Amino acid sequence: MNAMKIRAEQPDDYAAIRQVNELAFGRSQEADLVEALRDSNLDMISLVAIAPVADPEPLDVGAIVGHLLFSPVTITPTISPPLVNPIKIAGLGPIAVLPALQRRGIGSQLIQAGLEQCRQQGYDAIVVLGNPQFYQRFGFATASLKHLQCEYEVPEEVFMVVELQPNSLAACSGMIRYAPAFANV
C-alpha cells in the first residue's frame, strides 16, 4: 500500500476512529477507552492514517483506516529519594487498523510517526503492552531490563519500553501506572 497520510485526530474524526477500533478489535472496549481518555483531557497524542487511494472498495480516498493513541503514564519510583527531574513517559495504545488493511504497514507507519511526535513533544520514553516480535522492530525491549514494572499482571516479555532520549531511564526504576480509564478494558 502507498504511504499513508498520518495526521493528528480532529473532532470530525471521532466517529470514524470509534469504527476503526471496533472493527479492528471486534469489540467496543478499545473504542470506549479512546473516548474515555479523550474525555479525561489528558495531554495525548492521537493520530489517524488516511487512505491515499480507494483500496479496498468501498473506502473513499481520505477515509480513516487506522488510529494510534499515546497517553501519559506515571511512574511510582522504587528508589529513594524520588527522581529530582521526573521523566516524561507515555503509553502506546490502543493501535487499530481496519481488518482488510492489516499487515500492509499502516500500523508501522502510525507507530513511526507517533514515536517521532512523542520525541518532538519531549517524551523521554514510551511503554507498550504487546507482541514483542512486532514492537522490537521499533526499538522496544522488555521493560524489566530498565527496572520498570507494569501495574497489571502480564507476562514480563509483553511489557516493553523504548527510550526516546538516550539513557533517560538510567536512574529510574518503578511501577508504571496507566490512566484510570485503562482499568475498564
Side-chain angles (χ1 to χ4, degrees):
M1 174 162 273
N2 297 336
M4 291 282 121
K5 176 181 178 187
I6 308 290
R7 64 165 171 78
E9 77 169 19
Q10 300 168 2
D12 288 347
D13 300 333
Y14 293 171
I17 289 170
R18 178 170 190 83
Q19 182 178 24
V20 166
N21 276 278
E22 287 179 344
L23 291 171
F25 290 101
R27 59 186 195 170
S28 65
Q29 285 92 333
E30 287 77 8
D32 294 342
L33 172 62
V34 168
E35 290 176 357
L37 289 167
R38 191 182 294 127
D39 291 345
S40 68
N41 293 318
L42 294 172
D43 183 23
M44 298 185 316
I45 295 173
S46 184
L47 302 176
V48 294
I50 308 298
V53 295
D55 174 34
E57 295 297 333
L59 284 180
D60 294 325
V61 173
I64 292 175
V65 298
H67 175 251
L68 171 64
L69 185 71
F70 291 89
S71 59
V73 299
T74 59
I75 183 167
T76 303
T78 55
I79 59 172
S80 284
L83 294 172
V84 175
N85 297 316
I87 63 173
K88 188 175 177 182
I89 304 176
L92 185 165
I95 179 170
V97 175
L98 289 176
L101 298 176
Q102 292 175 2
R103 301 192 180 280
R104 295 190 186 189
I106 297 169
S108 294
Q109 290 177 54
L110 278 165
I111 291 170
Q112 290 167 342
L115 291 175
E116 182 55 34
Q117 189 164 348
C118 287
R119 189 177 286 109
Q120 290 174 6
Q121 291 191 17
Y123 281 93
D124 298 297
I126 305 296
V127 294
V128 68
L129 284 163
N131 181 321
Q133 289 76 28
F134 179 72
Y135 287 102
Q136 287 172 353
R137 69 179 86 165
F138 305 102
F140 285 88
T142 304
S144 63
L145 298 174
K146 296 292 186 177
H147 309 289
L148 298 176
Q149 299 84 42
C150 183
E151 70 176 302
Y152 305 115
E153 288 190 34
V154 296
E156 183 176 310
E157 66 274 8
V158 304
F159 184 57
M160 294 166 283
V161 65
V162 63
E163 288 179 304
L164 299 179
Q165 307 302 325
N167 300 312
S168 59
L169 299 173
C172 180
S173 66
M175 178 74 65
I176 296 292
R177 299 196 184 280
Y178 287 81
F182 280 89
N184 299 323
V185 176

